[in-house]
Amino acid sequence: MLNVTTPPLSYFILGAFMNVGSLKFFYFSLTVILYILIIAANTSLIVVICVNRSLHEPMYMYLCSLFVNELYGSTGLFPSLLVQILSDVHTVSTPLCFLQIFCIHTYGSIEVSNLAVMSYDRYLAICCPLQYNTQMTSNNTAVLIMVMWAYSLAKFLIALSLNLRLRLCGNVLNSLYCQNYLVVMLACSSTKVNNVYGIFDIIMTIIVPTLIILFSYMKILKVCFYGSKQTRQKSLTTCTPQLVSLLNFSFGCCFEIFQSRFDTTGLPAALRIFLSLYFLMMQPLMNPILYGTQMSKIRGVYEHVLSSIMSCGCSKVSQSD
């Protein structure tokens, strides 16, 4: 019989870490470099968009929100991961574990919502150009971004509060970081309410944004199919980065959901680790590179800044001579 007076857990054990000996310093260095690249890439694009008035358009404001979310999500993972890589005992306190769960899950929700809003923005710009300026005003854009963030944060606060009331009869999480589903699986009290709310959360977080994305891109494809060559080229230029970002994020999320619910011990350990961290590592790094190189206005600003720096450097050299 279960002991109903079991005290609350003070820590969790992350059981997916392997003993790599002195190689931990090598992995630590690689992770630090990756985190610095993510911070530098996303921060530079946020600054470029905020500083340049020519980029103060709805699409770039949504991109700015996306880059802020990449910083938010990666910060929910990397500091904890760096500590665990150097540690011989892979434990995390219960408050920090739940904080990481909150950060990572809200990051995913905001990411999907942001991509859905961006797809709808492109739908209006390409399919309803006459209505675009009246619907996508600066005020409407700001409201959409705030609602998107507030809704995602508040929605998971409810799920987190339901988790906190559970009585847990174990503290080993077979993962490199804290995950909501794995914590719920440790419960020895009823999880019926959690499961019901989990279904609602999946519908609102995944299914509804996916329907918006599918509707938007089906309409855009229809315009591309019947439109002129110029319209087709413009549509492909603006939509390709969003589609690549969406597919990349979907792949990472699908594998992480699959791995947390099914036995994947048949896969090589290194592959499991890489894929479990994929959507939290590659998405924040790939998005700024993808949008920075593919969006002509952002690329133009970067080229202008680089040319200014080079010309300034050349003038200083000539003056010193």
Side-chain angles (χ1 to χ4, degrees), residues 9-24:
L9 295 175
S10 59
Y11 65 91
F12 289 95
I13 299 171
L14 301 175
F17 281 92
M18 300 180 296
N19 184 13
V20 292
S22 59
L23 281 175
K24 65 183 180 182

Side-chain angles (χ1 to χ4, degrees), residues 58 62 120-121 124 132-138 140-141 144:
Y62 296 133
Y120 183 71
D121 173 81
L124 286 178
Y132 184 78
N133 289 331
T134 57
Q135 292 196 25
M136 282 296 172
T137 62
S138 56
N140 289 347
T141 300
L144 270 174

Side-chain angles (χ1 to χ4, degrees), residues 125-191:
I126 295 168
C127 302
C128 310
L130 297 179
Q131 302 174 25
Y132 184 78
N133 289 331
T134 57
Q135 292 196 25
M136 282 296 172
T137 62
S138 56
N139 288 337
N140 289 347
T141 300
V143 168
L144 270 174
I145 291 172
M146 288 188 291
V147 168
M148 182 171 59
W149 277 77
Y151 170 73
S152 298
L153 296 174
K155 179 163 57 65
F156 193 73
L157 272 176
I158 299 172
L160 195 63
S161 65
L162 293 174
N163 290 350
L164 291 172
R165 70 178 182 83
L166 294 175
R167 188 176 71 254
L168 305 179
C169 295
N171 67 342
V172 179
L173 304 175
N174 188 26
S175 176
L176 298 173
Y177 57 91
C178 295
Q179 296 184 48
N180 184 61
Y181 180 78
L182 296 180
V183 171
V184 174
M185 290 294 292
L186 295 175
C188 49
S189 57
S190 175
T191 60

